[in-house]
Amino acid sequence: MKLLRIGEPGAERPAILDGAGKARDLSGIVADIAGEALTPDGLSRIRAVDPADLPILDGRIGPCVGRIGKFLCIGLNYADHAAESGMVLPKEPIIFGKATSAVCGPNDTVLIPRGSEKCDWEVELGVVIGKGGVYIEKDAAFDHVAGYCVVNDVSERAFQAERSGQWIKGKSADTFGPIGPWLVTKDEVPDPQNLKLWLEIDGHRFQDGTTATMVFGVAHLVHYVSQFMSLQPGDVIATGTPPGVGLGRKPPVFLKGGETMRLGVDGLGEQTQTVGRA
C-alpha cells in the first residue's frame, strides 16, 4: 500500500493511493496516517478496504506520517559519503535527532534559515516504525517496520559543524525535513538494501547511490536504536545519505535560494522542492 496525507498544513487527511494513482480518502477508516494506524492491526484495517469505494482527494501532499514522535537520523552511514566529508567511518551507528518541527511535505518550499551560509541536501531512505518495542532483536527488526519513505535531510553545515555542540542545530530549521510523497508498506519493498536513490539540483544530478552500500542496514539500525530508547509507531529513522552532497564537492557547493531540488528512491516516489529564504 501507498499511504499519504492530503491537505493544507495542519489539516491533512489520511489517504491511500489507488491503482490509477489517485488519492482516496481514508478519514472514515483511520484518523490519520499516524500512531495506531501504523501498527499491524491498523494497517490490516486499511488493507481490508477497497480504495475504489472511497472518495477521491485532491490537493497538497503533506508529510506522509503525522504526529511523528521521534525523527531520528543516522550519520555517515555510507562509506563513500564519510570519505567525501573527511570523517572517519563510524564503528557504531551515529544517532542524532532532527526536530519534528522541521517536517514538511515532499513538495513544500524549503527555506534557507537566517544566517545560513552552507545549506546542503541529503537524499535518504526513511524507515517508519509500525510496532513499538525496545531491545529489539535484529532478526525481529522488520516485524517493527510499517514501511518506508523518501527523506531529504536538509542540513546547514556551518550550524552543524562550526557552531559547537550537537548536529541537531544544523538539521532542524523549519522545512528541513521533507518526507513522502507516500509511505510504502514493507510488503511492497522486499529488500530495503537494494534501492537506488538520487538527487538533482536544477536538473544536475549530484547524488546517485544505492542502499546496498550502507554501512549499517535497516535491520541493524532498528535493533541498534532500540537498545537506547523505545521505538513507537510513527517514529521515523532517516538512514543516511550516499555521496554527492554539496559539502563534498571541490570546491563545496551550497544552496543560495531559487534552486529546485528533485530527489527520489526506487519505488518510493519523488520529491520536488523550490528553495527559498526565511
Side-chain angles (χ1 to χ4, degrees):
M1 296 186 295
K2 293 180 174 65
L3 305 177
L4 64 161
R5 301 168 71 245
I6 300 289
E8 294 306 304
E12 295 94 345
R13 302 178 74 169
I16 184 171
L17 215 62
D18 68 14
K22 295 180 179 178
R24 300 282 185 157
D25 191 353
L26 280 172
S27 56
I29 311 300
V30 294
D32 199 356
I33 306 302
E36 182 63 27
L38 295 170
T39 66
D41 287 346
L43 292 178
S44 293
R45 189 160 61 251
I46 296 172
R47 194 170 282 111
V49 177
D50 184 351
D53 295 333
L54 303 173
I56 292 175
L57 270 181
D58 290 314
R60 164 189 174 266
I61 300 177
C64 61
V65 180
R67 305 195 310 274
I68 295 172
K70 293 190 286 295
F71 196 168
L72 303 170
C73 303
I74 307 300
L76 304 177
N77 198 29
Y78 288 73
D80 33 13
H81 171 56
E84 73 172 353
S85 301
M87 306 284 279
V88 176
L89 198 65
K91 296 179 180 176
E92 296 186 40
I94 296 172
I95 306 172
F96 62 93
K98 198 173 183 83
T100 55
S101 54
V103 174
C104 66
N107 304 317
D108 290 348
T109 299
V110 167
L111 297 176
I112 297 174
R114 295 178 185 178
S116 169
E117 299 175 351
K118 299 180 179 180
C119 194
D120 207 345
W121 55 83
E122 295 189 13
V123 61
E124 307 202 6
L125 171 67
V127 178
V128 181
I129 299 299
K131 177 184 175 184
V134 66
Y135 305 119
I136 296 167
E137 296 295 334
K138 186 175 178 180
D139 60 6
F142 289 115
D143 295 340
H144 295 262
V145 174
Y148 305 93
C149 65
V150 182
V151 174
N152 189 354
D153 178 19
V154 186
S155 308
E156 211 301 333
R157 301 302 187 186
F159 294 0
Q160 176 185 355
E162 300 171 22
R163 297 284 297 273
S164 76
Q166 299 184 354
W167 287 4
I168 191 169
K169 290 193 299 187
K171 299 285 187 171
S172 295
D174 290 355
T175 74
F176 268 27
I179 65 169
W182 37 74
L183 182 161
V184 180
T185 52
K186 65 181 176 184
D187 56 294
E188 295 192 9
V189 186
D191 184 3
Q193 303 308 147
N194 187 31
L195 300 173
K196 292 181 181 178
L197 60 172
W198 54 271
L199 182 144
E200 296 175 351
I201 306 294
D202 291 336
H204 176 79
R205 185 156 295 197
F206 280 87
Q207 292 189 274
D208 206 350
T210 169
T211 58
T213 63
M214 280 185 184
V215 179
F216 305 104
V218 169
H220 183 80
L221 292 174
V222 172
H223 156 73
Y224 183 85
V225 171
S226 77
Q227 307 307 302
F228 304 97
M229 65 195 81
S230 63
L231 294 172
Q232 282 96 32
D235 287 348
V236 175
I237 303 173
T239 57
T241 198
V245 300
L247 178 68
R249 307 286 290 184
K250 298 187 185 302
V253 175
F254 297 114
L255 299 168
K256 303 298 184 183
E259 301 92 343
T260 297
M261 293 189 282
R262 183 169 165 264
L263 58 147
V265 179
D266 277 359
L268 304 184
E270 298 182 6
Q271 302 182 354
T272 301
Q273 298 116 22
T274 299
V275 181
R277 283 193 167 270

